[in-house]
Amino acid sequence: MAPALALGKGAPAKKKVLRIAHLTDIHLKNQFNAPQRFVNCLHHVQQQNPKVDLVLNGGDVVFDMNKENIGTIDEQWKLVHTIMQAECSLPVNYCLGNHDIWWYEADKGQVLYGKQYAMDQLKLAKPYYSFIKSGWKFIILDSVHLDIDNTWYIGKLGDEQFDWLENELKQTDAGMPVLVMTHIPILTATLMIEDNIINKWQMLGGDMHTDTSKIIKLFYQHPNVKLCLSGHIHLRDKVVYNQVTYLCNGAVSGAWWEGNRRETAPGYGLIDLYSDGSFEESYVNY
């Protein structure tokens, strides 16, 4: 009989440590049967086997706060809290989406203006933060900022947040894998999916980070950054660049609760994280 082979001697065993559901772009409101469909999604997540340990909510929690009146905004958030309390038993970590922010450049004195209202609703002390779970570091970033003319928004970190991210990565043990979540994609190929393009694509700063190259250069200095999750575009894609995987995980609401957004059906990302920094992922229609 041939002798048994000792496999992987000296190498740490690869062990699954965490299962995550990435739910983004829910756009909840009391229309389109959205509340019941969102409940169906939450039940689908919680019926996964093996079980999901953590939900990462990628922003655009409510349908839209932009220029809305306080009654409409309160109603949308009340719906979010009612459903999450009754139908979701899993821990949830949030980031802000552009529709969770009240933008109206003609009324900047309005008490609703900016991010604080949504941060209060989501119990966020800051719009960006980090935490450690099961040997992985999670970095939740705020990618939605005023455009250069102080109207509407573009995707970026800004100097203060970039400095924080740089310091956060420096202080993270090089052996600890890192997962980053933003609302607006840091890097995506979905912006090239347009109709009737003759000679050139137009990529807007509100659709992808405008400081992509700066962030990618920073990640290159920290090989333990493994995975970046985003939403915003309502399309599903996967880009691997410099050993970092960038996942744009569609939308729970699909085309804002009116079917598929192009070829991407309503769904969520399902990600298994391993102790060695590897992961397995899929996009799940519910």
Side-chain angles (χ1 to χ4, degrees), residues 31-199:
Q31 288 180 1
F32 310 116
N33 198 29
Q36 184 56 54
R37 290 155 84 180
F38 180 43
V39 168
N40 294 345
C41 176
L42 288 173
H43 290 182
H44 197 275
V45 168
Q46 290 168 103
Q47 288 162 7
Q48 286 289 343
N49 187 18
K51 290 186 179 300
V52 168
D53 303 300
L54 175 69
V55 172
L56 294 179
N57 186 308
D60 282 1
V61 181
V62 293
F63 194 82
D64 196 10
M65 279 181 61
N66 298 331
K67 304 181 184 180
E68 284 285 6
N69 65 63
I70 186 65
T72 300
I73 290 168
D74 282 344
E75 185 181 275
Q76 290 180 21
W77 281 105
K78 184 179 178 184
L79 192 57
V80 169
H81 297 316
T82 300
I83 289 177
M84 292 301 290
Q85 190 172 0
E87 307 293 345
C88 184
S89 61
L90 296 170
V92 184
N93 284 91
Y94 293 90
C95 75
L96 293 177
N98 54 294
H99 286 275
D100 304 322
I101 301 165
W102 200 85
W103 304 102
Y104 189 21
E105 53 273 15
D107 192 6
K108 291 187 178 180
Q110 165 66 250
V111 69
L112 283 175
Y113 188 82
K115 301 173 182 176
Q116 193 59 51
Y117 181 98
M119 287 169 59
D120 291 345
Q121 295 293 320
L122 298 173
K123 295 182 169 54
L124 296 178
K126 288 186 73 174
Y128 53 91
Y129 58 98
S130 71
F131 62 95
I132 293 171
K133 193 171 177 67
S134 301
W136 277 67
K137 173 163 272 192
F138 295 79
I139 297 178
I140 314 300
L141 296 174
D142 174 18
S143 54
V144 185
H145 295 271
L146 285 173
D147 204 338
I148 53 175
D149 62 358
N150 283 323
T151 63
W152 215 227
Y153 68 89
I154 57 174
K156 65 178 184 178
L157 297 181
D159 293 339
E160 181 184 318
Q161 187 179 186
F162 184 86
D163 290 346
W164 175 88
L165 174 61
E166 191 173 34
N167 192 52
E168 191 72 23
L169 290 174
K170 273 182 191 167
Q171 291 182 353
T172 302
D173 187 292
M176 177 176 285
V178 175
L179 180 153
V180 175
M181 180 170 69
T182 60
H183 177 67
I184 296 174
I186 293 171
L187 183 65
T188 178
T190 60
L191 303 185
M192 289 181 282
I193 307 172
E194 288 190 35
D195 299 316
N196 305 316
I197 296 296
I198 304 300
N199 189 33

